Amino acid sequence: MKKTILTLIALTLVLAFAAISQTPPAHQHQVVLQMNVDGMDSWNQLFANIQNIQAVFGADKIQIEVVAYGKGLSLLLKTNSAFEERMKKAIAGGVVLAACQNTMRLRKVTTDDLFPFASQVDSGVAELIRKQEAGWSYIKAGE
Amino acid sequence: MKKTILTLIALTLVLAFAAISQTPPAHQHQVVLQMNVDGMDSWNQLFANIQNIQAVFGADKIQIEVVAYGKGLSLLLKTNSAFEERMKKAIAGGVVLAACQNTMRLRKVTTDDLFPFASQVDSGVAELIRKQEAGWSYIKAGE
Amino acid sequence: MKKTILTLIALTLVLAFAAISQTPPAHQHQVVLQMNVDGMDSWNQLFANIQNIQAVFGADKIQIEVVAYGKGLSLLLKTNSAFEERMKKAIAGGVVLAACQNTMRLRKVTTDDLFPFASQVDSGVAELIRKQEAGWSYIKAGE
């Protein structure tokens, strides 16, 4: 009987800890940034945003993923040399820059058209949902 | 005494399960889409978004609600025949297209001015809050 | 032995309650509004939003914080007399209007340039993340 009780208590403790562990630890931050517009102003603000939140939280304490879709896909095109250095710096700081494959198909953009440091996701908008479901903060970047 | 202990354990298990069950089940997704702008580009992207996330998650696995307010209310006006078929298809796939009654009053839009498949909510922005409080993901659609 | 069991049960109950208490109470609402654009249309919509959600939830039941950064900082400049009365009314109703200090530095805006009722946050985008991490709803206001 006591064994049964102890087993039940152990199980209960595991369940309680599981419930608690679903909330993110206080020292870690995660944010997904929506980028579905083009234009210098929006992209300048995006990289200022990234720099600011890395400064506030610490670059090693916050995971940042930028999801580029719709008109925002142009950010990651090799032709966008004006932002290449800022993107490389972001990548070096651990930021993920992800291109939406649905937009790529729609706009006939191939992997070769993108900077080699760009990641890819099946669907930009689905990625925004998945990250929020995983507890990430979400921000619509740009104007 | 043992009865008391068992009662306490049962209560504890119920509480632990209740805590766990507050996280959404892994196979179900919910997203509310803000639509407060007008323009073909934004609306085209909206319906592309809907199609994409239904393809990724399965139309029967994700609940989608579009909240049209401000300038976005025009989407649901009967006069917007260019998007009627796409909206009907979305509705057939289980999507809710909701008009903001505050915007309706402000813009003197009546129920008769809206497509009959449009739902209504008291306040578009309050609806966005309610859905987030209920655990839905949130995305600002359009540009 | 029984004492140990009871201690374990007590600990388990505390953990379970802690997990449950991390969900916000049903009668309280919190929303952070992103304002990073300028223009009358966006600002008019912002204050209509505030009025609407206060009417729906009750002004004393919802905490509202507007985070002004990027071009949206102009909202809080003393020169923006057109919106002064609406902002004073919002403040009187408990709304926080916060200016981003990163944007202030970038645009050479000092505290003296801002309305005295404006609050300040170190980084607008970091504030949006912090509020979401604390369970607040998030809305990109404006167009």
PDB file of all heavy atoms in Angstrom, chain C residues 56-90:
ATOM      1  N   VAL C  56     -15.268  47.723 -23.755  1.00  0.00           N
ATOM      2  CA  VAL C  56     -15.594  46.288 -23.734  1.00  0.00           C
ATOM      3  C   VAL C  56     -15.210  45.644 -22.403  1.00  0.00           C
ATOM      4  O   VAL C  56     -16.013  44.942 -21.784  1.00  0.00           O
ATOM      5  CB  VAL C  56     -14.894  45.545 -24.892  1.00  0.00           C
ATOM      6  CG1 VAL C  56     -14.997  44.031 -24.711  1.00  0.00           C
ATOM      7  CG2 VAL C  56     -15.487  45.956 -26.234  1.00  0.00           C
ATOM      8  N   PHE C  57     -13.982  45.898 -21.951  1.00  0.00           N
ATOM      9  CA  PHE C  57     -13.480  45.177 -20.776  1.00  0.00           C
ATOM     10  C   PHE C  57     -13.710  45.955 -19.472  1.00  0.00           C
ATOM     11  O   PHE C  57     -13.639  45.381 -18.389  1.00  0.00           O
ATOM     12  CB  PHE C  57     -11.984  44.875 -20.924  1.00  0.00           C
ATOM     13  CG  PHE C  57     -11.657  43.958 -22.066  1.00  0.00           C
ATOM     14  CD1 PHE C  57     -10.984  44.404 -23.188  1.00  0.00           C
ATOM     15  CD2 PHE C  57     -12.046  42.618 -22.024  1.00  0.00           C
ATOM     16  CE1 PHE C  57     -10.676  43.546 -24.246  1.00  0.00           C
ATOM     17  CE2 PHE C  57     -11.751  41.758 -23.072  1.00  0.00           C
ATOM     18  CZ  PHE C  57     -11.071  42.220 -24.187  1.00  0.00           C
ATOM     19  N   GLY C  58     -13.955  47.260 -19.609  1.00  0.00           N
ATOM     20  CA  GLY C  58     -14.001  48.129 -18.425  1.00  0.00           C
ATOM     21  C   GLY C  58     -12.634  48.742 -18.224  1.00  0.00           C
ATOM     22  O   GLY C  58     -11.631  48.015 -18.157  1.00  0.00           O
ATOM     23  N   ALA C  59     -12.580  50.074 -18.111  1.00  0.00           N
ATOM     24  CA  ALA C  59     -11.292  50.761 -18.056  1.00  0.00           C
ATOM     25  C   ALA C  59     -10.465  50.294 -16.861  1.00  0.00           C
ATOM     26  O   ALA C  59      -9.233  50.301 -16.906  1.00  0.00           O
ATOM     27  CB  ALA C  59     -11.496  52.280 -17.997  1.00  0.00           C
ATOM     28  N   ASP C  60     -11.130  49.839 -15.792  1.00  0.00           N
ATOM     29  CA  ASP C  60     -10.399  49.414 -14.597  1.00  0.00           C
ATOM     30  C   ASP C  60     -10.038  47.930 -14.646  1.00  0.00           C
ATOM     31  O   ASP C  60      -9.404  47.411 -13.737  1.00  0.00           O
ATOM     32  CB  ASP C  60     -11.231  49.701 -13.342  1.00  0.00           C
ATOM     33  CG  ASP C  60     -12.601  49.046 -13.424  1.00  0.00           C
ATOM     34  OD1 ASP C  60     -13.099  48.821 -14.552  1.00  0.00           O
ATOM     35  OD2 ASP C  60     -13.168  48.718 -12.366  1.00  0.00           O
ATOM     36  N   LYS C  61     -10.441  47.258 -15.725  1.00  0.00           N
ATOM     37  CA  LYS C  61     -10.186  45.813 -15.816  1.00  0.00           C
ATOM     38  C   LYS C  61      -9.083  45.499 -16.819  1.00  0.00           C
ATOM     39  O   LYS C  61      -8.650  44.358 -16.936  1.00  0.00           O
ATOM     40  CB  LYS C  61     -11.459  45.072 -16.247  1.00  0.00           C
ATOM     41  CG  LYS C  61     -12.590  45.129 -15.243  1.00  0.00           C
ATOM     42  CD  LYS C  61     -12.357  44.189 -14.084  1.00  0.00           C
ATOM     43  CE  LYS C  61     -13.646  43.942 -13.301  1.00  0.00           C
ATOM     44  NZ  LYS C  61     -14.329  45.183 -12.880  1.00  0.00           N
ATOM     45  N   ILE C  62      -8.661  46.494 -17.587  1.00  0.00           N
ATOM     46  CA  ILE C  62      -7.621  46.242 -18.593  1.00  0.00           C
ATOM     47  C   ILE C  62      -6.490  47.252 -18.463  1.00  0.00           C
ATOM     48  O   ILE C  62      -6.718  48.461 -18.391  1.00  0.00           O
ATOM     49  CB  ILE C  62      -8.201  46.236 -20.027  1.00  0.00           C
ATOM     50  CG1 ILE C  62      -7.096  45.897 -21.035  1.00  0.00           C
ATOM     51  CG2 ILE C  62      -8.893  47.549 -20.399  1.00  0.00           C
ATOM     52  CD1 ILE C  62      -7.580  45.307 -22.329  1.00  0.00           C
ATOM     53  N   GLN C  63      -5.269  46.716 -18.405  1.00  0.00           N
ATOM     54  CA  GLN C  63      -4.076  47.560 -18.413  1.00  0.00           C
ATOM     55  C   GLN C  63      -3.658  47.748 -19.857  1.00  0.00           C
ATOM     56  O   GLN C  63      -3.498  46.763 -20.592  1.00  0.00           O
ATOM     57  CB  GLN C  63      -2.939  46.875 -17.665  1.00  0.00           C
ATOM     58  CG  GLN C  63      -2.971  47.025 -16.151  1.00  0.00           C
ATOM     59  CD  GLN C  63      -1.742  46.371 -15.543  1.00  0.00           C
ATOM     60  OE1 GLN C  63      -1.720  45.151 -15.397  1.00  0.00           O
ATOM     61  NE2 GLN C  63      -0.734  47.153 -15.219  1.00  0.00           N
ATOM     62  N   ILE C  64      -3.445  48.988 -20.263  1.00  0.00           N
ATOM     63  CA  ILE C  64      -3.053  49.270 -21.642  1.00  0.00           C
ATOM     64  C   ILE C  64      -1.742  50.050 -21.630  1.00  0.00           C
ATOM     65  O   ILE C  64      -1.615  51.059 -20.940  1.00  0.00           O
ATOM     66  CB  ILE C  64      -4.136  50.107 -22.369  1.00  0.00           C
ATOM     67  CG1 ILE C  64      -5.493  49.380 -22.342  1.00  0.00           C
ATOM     68  CG2 ILE C  64      -3.713  50.423 -23.791  1.00  0.00           C
ATOM     69  CD1 ILE C  64      -6.643  50.197 -22.892  1.00  0.00           C
ATOM     70  N   GLU C  65      -0.771  49.568 -22.398  1.00  0.00           N
ATOM     71  CA  GLU C  65       0.471  50.330 -22.574  1.00  0.00           C
ATOM     72  C   GLU C  65       0.734  50.500 -24.063  1.00  0.00           C
ATOM     73  O   GLU C  65       0.747  49.523 -24.817  1.00  0.00           O
ATOM     74  CB  GLU C  65       1.655  49.607 -21.911  1.00  0.00           C
ATOM     75  CG  GLU C  65       2.959  50.369 -22.084  1.00  0.00           C
ATOM     76  CD  GLU C  65       4.113  49.794 -21.251  1.00  0.00           C
ATOM     77  OE1 GLU C  65       3.898  49.448 -20.087  1.00  0.00           O
ATOM     78  OE2 GLU C  65       5.225  49.687 -21.807  1.00  0.00           O
ATOM     79  N   VAL C  66       0.925  51.748 -24.462  1.00  0.00           N
ATOM     80  CA  VAL C  66       1.292  52.049 -25.845  1.00  0.00           C
ATOM     81  C   VAL C  66       2.801  52.264 -25.884  1.00  0.00           C
ATOM     82  O   VAL C  66       3.339  53.058 -25.103  1.00  0.00           O
ATOM     83  CB  VAL C  66       0.569  53.315 -26.349  1.00  0.00           C
ATOM     84  CG1 VAL C  66       1.018  53.667 -27.765  1.00  0.00           C
ATOM     85  CG2 VAL C  66      -0.941  53.143 -26.275  1.00  0.00           C
ATOM     86  N   VAL C  67       3.488  51.560 -26.774  1.00  0.00           N
ATOM     87  CA  VAL C  67       4.928  51.717 -26.905  1.00  0.00           C
ATOM     88  C   VAL C  67       5.224  52.443 -28.217  1.00  0.00           C
ATOM     89  O   VAL C  67       4.993  51.910 -29.303  1.00  0.00           O
ATOM     90  CB  VAL C  67       5.643  50.355 -26.865  1.00  0.00           C
ATOM     91  CG1 VAL C  67       7.144  50.535 -27.016  1.00  0.00           C
ATOM     92  CG2 VAL C  67       5.326  49.618 -25.557  1.00  0.00           C
ATOM     93  N   ALA C  68       5.713  53.675 -28.097  1.00  0.00           N
ATOM     94  CA  ALA C  68       5.966  54.519 -29.264  1.00  0.00           C
ATOM     95  C   ALA C  68       7.448  54.478 -29.613  1.00  0.00           C
ATOM     96  O   ALA C  68       8.290  54.872 -28.809  1.00  0.00           O
ATOM     97  CB  ALA C  68       5.526  55.952 -28.975  1.00  0.00           C
ATOM     98  N   TYR C  69       7.750  53.985 -30.798  1.00  0.00           N
ATOM     99  CA  TYR C  69       9.155  53.940 -31.221  1.00  0.00           C
ATOM    100  C   TYR C  69       9.239  54.118 -32.730  1.00  0.00           C
ATOM    101  O   TYR C  69       8.213  54.139 -33.418  1.00  0.00           O
ATOM    102  CB  TYR C  69       9.819  52.641 -30.761  1.00  0.00           C
ATOM    103  CG  TYR C  69       9.333  51.361 -31.397  1.00  0.00           C
ATOM    104  CD1 TYR C  69      10.028  50.783 -32.462  1.00  0.00           C
ATOM    105  CD2 TYR C  69       8.207  50.703 -30.932  1.00  0.00           C
ATOM    106  CE1 TYR C  69       9.600  49.591 -33.036  1.00  0.00           C
ATOM    107  CE2 TYR C  69       7.776  49.516 -31.496  1.00  0.00           C
ATOM    108  CZ  TYR C  69       8.471  48.965 -32.547  1.00  0.00           C
ATOM    109  OH  TYR C  69       8.051  47.794 -33.124  1.00  0.00           O
ATOM    110  N   GLY C  70      10.443  54.246 -33.247  1.00  0.00           N
ATOM    111  CA  GLY C  70      10.585  54.551 -34.666  1.00  0.00           C
ATOM    112  C   GLY C  70       9.823  55.840 -34.981  1.00  0.00           C
ATOM    113  O   GLY C  70       9.816  56.770 -34.172  1.00  0.00           O
ATOM    114  N   LYS C  71       9.171  55.841 -36.138  1.00  0.00           N
ATOM    115  CA  LYS C  71       8.412  57.040 -36.515  1.00  0.00           C
ATOM    116  C   LYS C  71       7.265  57.322 -35.547  1.00  0.00           C
ATOM    117  O   LYS C  71       6.744  58.430 -35.491  1.00  0.00           O
ATOM    118  CB  LYS C  71       7.866  56.876 -37.931  1.00  0.00           C
ATOM    119  CG  LYS C  71       8.949  56.881 -39.002  1.00  0.00           C
ATOM    120  CD  LYS C  71       8.377  56.731 -40.398  1.00  0.00           C
ATOM    121  CE  LYS C  71       9.512  56.659 -41.421  1.00  0.00           C
ATOM    122  NZ  LYS C  71       9.039  56.203 -42.736  1.00  0.00           N
ATOM    123  N   GLY C  72       6.841  56.303 -34.814  1.00  0.00           N
ATOM    124  CA  GLY C  72       5.737  56.458 -33.873  1.00  0.00           C
ATOM    125  C   GLY C  72       6.074  57.343 -32.685  1.00  0.00           C
ATOM    126  O   GLY C  72       5.179  57.817 -31.980  1.00  0.00           O
ATOM    127  N   LEU C  73       7.373  57.592 -32.458  1.00  0.00           N
ATOM    128  CA  LEU C  73       7.770  58.453 -31.330  1.00  0.00           C
ATOM    129  C   LEU C  73       7.150  59.838 -31.461  1.00  0.00           C
ATOM    130  O   LEU C  73       6.838  60.485 -30.454  1.00  0.00           O
ATOM    131  CB  LEU C  73       9.302  58.560 -31.263  1.00  0.00           C
ATOM    132  CG  LEU C  73       9.846  59.414 -30.120  1.00  0.00           C
ATOM    133  CD1 LEU C  73       9.521  58.797 -28.765  1.00  0.00           C
ATOM    134  CD2 LEU C  73      11.350  59.625 -30.245  1.00  0.00           C
ATOM    135  N   SER C  74       6.945  60.283 -32.706  1.00  0.00           N
ATOM    136  CA  SER C  74       6.395  61.625 -32.942  1.00  0.00           C
ATOM    137  C   SER C  74       5.071  61.850 -32.241  1.00  0.00           C
ATOM    138  O   SER C  74       4.693  62.989 -31.953  1.00  0.00           O
ATOM    139  CB  SER C  74       6.214  61.860 -34.449  1.00  0.00           C
ATOM    140  OG  SER C  74       7.379  61.506 -35.142  1.00  0.00           O
ATOM    141  N   LEU C  75       4.352  60.762 -31.977  1.00  0.00           N
ATOM    142  CA  LEU C  75       3.083  60.887 -31.253  1.00  0.00           C
ATOM    143  C   LEU C  75       3.253  61.653 -29.958  1.00  0.00           C
ATOM    144  O   LEU C  75       2.396  62.466 -29.578  1.00  0.00           O
ATOM    145  CB  LEU C  75       2.534  59.480 -30.949  1.00  0.00           C
ATOM    146  CG  LEU C  75       1.270  59.402 -30.097  1.00  0.00           C
ATOM    147  CD1 LEU C  75       0.055  59.877 -30.884  1.00  0.00           C
ATOM    148  CD2 LEU C  75       1.024  57.982 -29.579  1.00  0.00           C
ATOM    149  N   LEU C  76       4.374  61.424 -29.275  1.00  0.00           N
ATOM    150  CA  LEU C  76       4.552  61.940 -27.919  1.00  0.00           C
ATOM    151  C   LEU C  76       5.305  63.267 -27.862  1.00  0.00           C
ATOM    152  O   LEU C  76       5.575  63.788 -26.778  1.00  0.00           O
ATOM    153  CB  LEU C  76       5.281  60.879 -27.065  1.00  0.00           C
ATOM    154  CG  LEU C  76       4.532  59.549 -26.923  1.00  0.00           C
ATOM    155  CD1 LEU C  76       5.367  58.535 -26.151  1.00  0.00           C
ATOM    156  CD2 LEU C  76       3.195  59.766 -26.216  1.00  0.00           C
ATOM    157  N   LEU C  77       5.641  63.802 -29.051  1.00  0.00           N
ATOM    158  CA  LEU C  77       6.337  65.097 -29.076  1.00  0.00           C
ATOM    159  C   LEU C  77       5.371  66.224 -28.698  1.00  0.00           C
ATOM    160  O   LEU C  77       4.222  66.247 -29.155  1.00  0.00           O
ATOM    161  CB  LEU C  77       6.905  65.358 -30.478  1.00  0.00           C
ATOM    162  CG  LEU C  77       8.048  64.454 -30.937  1.00  0.00           C
ATOM    163  CD1 LEU C  77       8.477  64.831 -32.356  1.00  0.00           C
ATOM    164  CD2 LEU C  77       9.229  64.547 -29.968  1.00  0.00           C
ATOM    165  N   LYS C  78       5.867  67.158 -27.904  1.00  0.00           N
ATOM    166  CA  LYS C  78       5.039  68.300 -27.471  1.00  0.00           C
ATOM    167  C   LYS C  78       4.420  69.046 -28.658  1.00  0.00           C
ATOM    168  O   LYS C  78       3.371  69.676 -28.531  1.00  0.00           O
ATOM    169  CB  LYS C  78       5.908  69.289 -26.685  1.00  0.00           C
ATOM    170  CG  LYS C  78       6.011  68.980 -25.199  1.00  0.00           C
ATOM    171  CD  LYS C  78       6.906  70.022 -24.527  1.00  0.00           C
ATOM    172  CE  LYS C  78       7.192  69.653 -23.074  1.00  0.00           C
ATOM    173  NZ  LYS C  78       8.330  70.442 -22.541  1.00  0.00           N
ATOM    174  N   THR C  79       5.086  68.979 -29.782  1.00  0.00           N
ATOM    175  CA  THR C  79       4.581  69.669 -30.971  1.00  0.00           C
ATOM    176  C   THR C  79       3.303  69.014 -31.515  1.00  0.00           C
ATOM    177  O   THR C  79       2.597  69.616 -32.318  1.00  0.00           O
ATOM    178  CB  THR C  79       5.656  69.638 -32.079  1.00  0.00           C
ATOM    179  OG1 THR C  79       6.155  68.283 -32.179  1.00  0.00           O
ATOM    180  CG2 THR C  79       6.815  70.555 -31.746  1.00  0.00           C
ATOM    181  N   ASN C  80       2.985  67.795 -31.048  1.00  0.00           N
ATOM    182  CA  ASN C  80       1.802  67.082 -31.556  1.00  0.00           C
ATOM    183  C   ASN C  80       0.555  67.492 -30.776  1.00  0.00           C
ATOM    184  O   ASN C  80      -0.133  66.665 -30.173  1.00  0.00           O
ATOM    185  CB  ASN C  80       2.037  65.567 -31.457  1.00  0.00           C
ATOM    186  CG  ASN C  80       0.909  64.779 -32.094  1.00  0.00           C
ATOM    187  OD1 ASN C  80       0.162  65.284 -32.929  1.00  0.00           O
ATOM    188  ND2 ASN C  80       0.769  63.527 -31.677  1.00  0.00           N
ATOM    189  N   SER C  81       0.259  68.800 -30.833  1.00  0.00           N
ATOM    190  CA  SER C  81      -0.837  69.324 -30.002  1.00  0.00           C
ATOM    191  C   SER C  81      -2.197  68.780 -30.447  1.00  0.00           C
ATOM    192  O   SER C  81      -3.135  68.721 -29.652  1.00  0.00           O
ATOM    193  CB  SER C  81      -0.825  70.856 -30.053  1.00  0.00           C
ATOM    194  OG  SER C  81      -0.816  71.292 -31.398  1.00  0.00           O
ATOM    195  N   ALA C  82      -2.299  68.355 -31.697  1.00  0.00           N
ATOM    196  CA  ALA C  82      -3.582  67.850 -32.202  1.00  0.00           C
ATOM    197  C   ALA C  82      -4.081  66.646 -31.407  1.00  0.00           C
ATOM    198  O   ALA C  82      -5.284  66.402 -31.325  1.00  0.00           O
ATOM    199  CB  ALA C  82      -3.466  67.485 -33.686  1.00  0.00           C
ATOM    200  N   PHE C  83      -3.153  65.884 -30.820  1.00  0.00           N
ATOM    201  CA  PHE C  83      -3.566  64.684 -30.089  1.00  0.00           C
ATOM    202  C   PHE C  83      -3.412  64.831 -28.572  1.00  0.00           C
ATOM    203  O   PHE C  83      -3.628  63.880 -27.835  1.00  0.00           O
ATOM    204  CB  PHE C  83      -2.763  63.468 -30.586  1.00  0.00           C
ATOM    205  CG  PHE C  83      -3.278  62.911 -31.887  1.00  0.00           C
ATOM    206  CD1 PHE C  83      -2.903  63.472 -33.100  1.00  0.00           C
ATOM    207  CD2 PHE C  83      -4.182  61.853 -31.898  1.00  0.00           C
ATOM    208  CE1 PHE C  83      -3.398  62.977 -34.296  1.00  0.00           C
ATOM    209  CE2 PHE C  83      -4.675  61.353 -33.089  1.00  0.00           C
ATOM    210  CZ  PHE C  83      -4.284  61.911 -34.291  1.00  0.00           C
ATOM    211  N   GLU C  84      -3.031  66.041 -28.133  1.00  0.00           N
ATOM    212  CA  GLU C  84      -2.744  66.229 -26.708  1.00  0.00           C
ATOM    213  C   GLU C  84      -3.938  65.867 -25.825  1.00  0.00           C
ATOM    214  O   GLU C  84      -3.796  65.149 -24.824  1.00  0.00           O
ATOM    215  CB  GLU C  84      -2.307  67.683 -26.450  1.00  0.00           C
ATOM    216  CG  GLU C  84      -1.903  67.915 -25.006  1.00  0.00           C
ATOM    217  CD  GLU C  84      -1.305  69.310 -24.785  1.00  0.00           C
ATOM    218  OE1 GLU C  84      -1.216  70.093 -25.756  1.00  0.00           O
ATOM    219  OE2 GLU C  84      -0.935  69.607 -23.632  1.00  0.00           O
ATOM    220  N   GLU C  85      -5.119  66.335 -26.190  1.00  0.00           N
ATOM    221  CA  GLU C  85      -6.302  66.090 -25.345  1.00  0.00           C
ATOM    222  C   GLU C  85      -6.640  64.604 -25.270  1.00  0.00           C
ATOM    223  O   GLU C  85      -6.979  64.083 -24.215  1.00  0.00           O
ATOM    224  CB  GLU C  85      -7.510  66.900 -25.852  1.00  0.00           C
ATOM    225  CG  GLU C  85      -7.451  68.381 -25.496  1.00  0.00           C
ATOM    226  CD  GLU C  85      -7.014  68.622 -24.039  1.00  0.00           C
ATOM    227  OE1 GLU C  85      -7.635  68.045 -23.134  1.00  0.00           O
ATOM    228  OE2 GLU C  85      -6.033  69.366 -23.826  1.00  0.00           O
ATOM    229  N   ARG C  86      -6.538  63.918 -26.419  1.00  0.00           N
ATOM    230  CA  ARG C  86      -6.869  62.497 -26.426  1.00  0.00           C
ATOM    231  C   ARG C  86      -5.852  61.707 -25.591  1.00  0.00           C
ATOM    232  O   ARG C  86      -6.199  60.731 -24.933  1.00  0.00           O
ATOM    233  CB  ARG C  86      -6.899  61.965 -27.871  1.00  0.00           C
ATOM    234  CG  ARG C  86      -7.919  62.721 -28.729  1.00  0.00           C
ATOM    235  CD  ARG C  86      -8.106  62.095 -30.092  1.00  0.00           C
ATOM    236  NE  ARG C  86      -8.917  60.884 -30.022  1.00  0.00           N
ATOM    237  CZ  ARG C  86      -9.265  60.164 -31.082  1.00  0.00           C
ATOM    238  NH1 ARG C  86      -8.879  60.535 -32.291  1.00  0.00           N
ATOM    239  NH2 ARG C  86     -10.008  59.082 -30.959  1.00  0.00           N
ATOM    240  N   MET C  87      -4.600  62.152 -25.626  1.00  0.00           N
ATOM    241  CA  MET C  87      -3.576  61.458 -24.831  1.00  0.00           C
ATOM    242  C   MET C  87      -3.799  61.717 -23.347  1.00  0.00           C
ATOM    243  O   MET C  87      -3.687  60.802 -22.528  1.00  0.00           O
ATOM    244  CB  MET C  87      -2.182  61.911 -25.269  1.00  0.00           C
ATOM    245  CG  MET C  87      -1.792  61.295 -26.621  1.00  0.00           C
ATOM    246  SD  MET C  87      -0.034  61.428 -26.990  1.00  0.00           S
ATOM    247  CE  MET C  87       0.000  63.065 -27.706  1.00  0.00           C
ATOM    248  N   LYS C  88      -4.142  62.963 -22.997  1.00  0.00           N
ATOM    249  CA  LYS C  88      -4.402  63.280 -21.580  1.00  0.00           C
ATOM    250  C   LYS C  88      -5.572  62.455 -21.060  1.00  0.00           C
ATOM    251  O   LYS C  88      -5.561  61.987 -19.919  1.00  0.00           O
ATOM    252  CB  LYS C  88      -4.694  64.782 -21.421  1.00  0.00           C
ATOM    253  CG  LYS C  88      -3.438  65.640 -21.375  1.00  0.00           C
ATOM    254  CD  LYS C  88      -3.788  67.106 -21.132  1.00  0.00           C
ATOM    255  CE  LYS C  88      -2.539  67.965 -20.962  1.00  0.00           C
ATOM    256  NZ  LYS C  88      -2.863  69.404 -21.062  1.00  0.00           N
ATOM    257  N   LYS C  89      -6.573  62.294 -21.897  1.00  0.00           N
ATOM    258  CA  LYS C  89      -7.748  61.500 -21.499  1.00  0.00           C
ATOM    259  C   LYS C  89      -7.338  60.040 -21.285  1.00  0.00           C
ATOM    260  O   LYS C  89      -7.774  59.394 -20.322  1.00  0.00           O
ATOM    261  CB  LYS C  89      -8.818  61.603 -22.597  1.00  0.00           C
ATOM    262  CG  LYS C  89     -10.198  61.145 -22.145  1.00  0.00           C
ATOM    263  CD  LYS C  89     -11.196  61.163 -23.309  1.00  0.00           C
ATOM    264  CE  LYS C  89     -12.306  60.138 -23.066  1.00  0.00           C
ATOM    265  NZ  LYS C  89     -13.079  59.869 -24.290  1.00  0.00           N
ATOM    266  N   ALA C  90      -6.496  59.531 -22.183  1.00  0.00           N
ATOM    267  CA  ALA C  90      -6.034  58.147 -22.050  1.00  0.00           C
ATOM    268  C   ALA C  90      -5.245  57.974 -20.747  1.00  0.00           C
ATOM    269  O   ALA C  90      -5.466  57.029 -19.984  1.00  0.00           O
ATOM    270  CB  ALA C  90      -5.176  57.765 -23.263  1.00  0.00           C
TER     271      ALA C  90
END
